[in-house]
Amino acid sequence: MSIRVLSKEVVTTGTERPVPPWAERTAHLIPLVGLPVCLWRLPIGFGYAMGGENTPSAWWHIPYVFGLSLLTEAFALLGFGLVRGWGEVVPGWVPRLGGRRIPPAAAIVPATVGGLLLLGLMAGWVVTAFRIGG
């Protein structure tokens, strides 16, 4: 168990090794990075496009947009698993898996695949936005 002192406050992270201060700060910033996008998409659920014009709305737009925003923030909060003990060992309350060590590949493989997918989406956006190749 790791204990650090941050401005007269003792923080217990419960990790096997001490967590560097930059990693702790980064874990706190991850949900804040996604928050503007979640707030930005809320008007869309109420039928307003980003230009201010009204768009056709359906009954499912509001729950969809709110659900997508909540899901985005929930996944962003999983970044705390990188700096907390529950990211290294499955919590004891999980049936049949509780107490087992989480293999690093269980985080590395999905993160790599997700990063590559986002890279592909961003490359497609750049090609379209700048009219490259045609």
Side-chain angles (χ1 to χ4, degrees):
M1 182 175 301
S2 168
I3 297 176
R4 290 186 298 121
V5 177
L6 293 175
S7 66
K8 300 180 184 175
E9 182 181 341
V10 176
V11 179
T12 304
T13 60
T15 57
E16 185 177 303
R17 295 187 204 132
V19 175
W22 65 266
E24 182 77 23
R25 285 190 300 271
T26 302
H28 281 86
L29 289 175
I30 291 172
L32 295 177
V33 170
L35 187 60
V37 175
C38 293
L39 295 174
W40 172 80
R41 78 168 64 105
L42 288 179
I44 296 171
F46 293 101
Y48 296 98
M50 292 298 95
E53 66 274 4
N54 288 335
T55 58
S57 63
W59 66 268
W60 53 270
H61 284 172
I62 295 173
Y64 171 74
V65 169
F66 274 91
L68 186 60
S69 294
L70 290 174
L71 188 65
T72 300
E73 282 301 307
F75 278 122
L77 289 171
L78 288 176
F80 281 112
L82 299 171
V83 294
R84 298 288 187 269
W86 56 266
E88 296 177 348
V89 177
V90 178
W93 55 266
V94 177
R96 295 178 6 151
L97 296 177
R100 290 188 184 177
R101 186 149 181 76
I102 299 174
I108 294 170
V109 170
T112 302
V113 170
L116 290 173
L117 287 172
L118 287 176
L119 180 65
L121 288 172
M122 189 57 80
W125 176 82
V126 168
V127 168
T128 303
F130 295 106
R131 294 175 174 73
I132 297 173

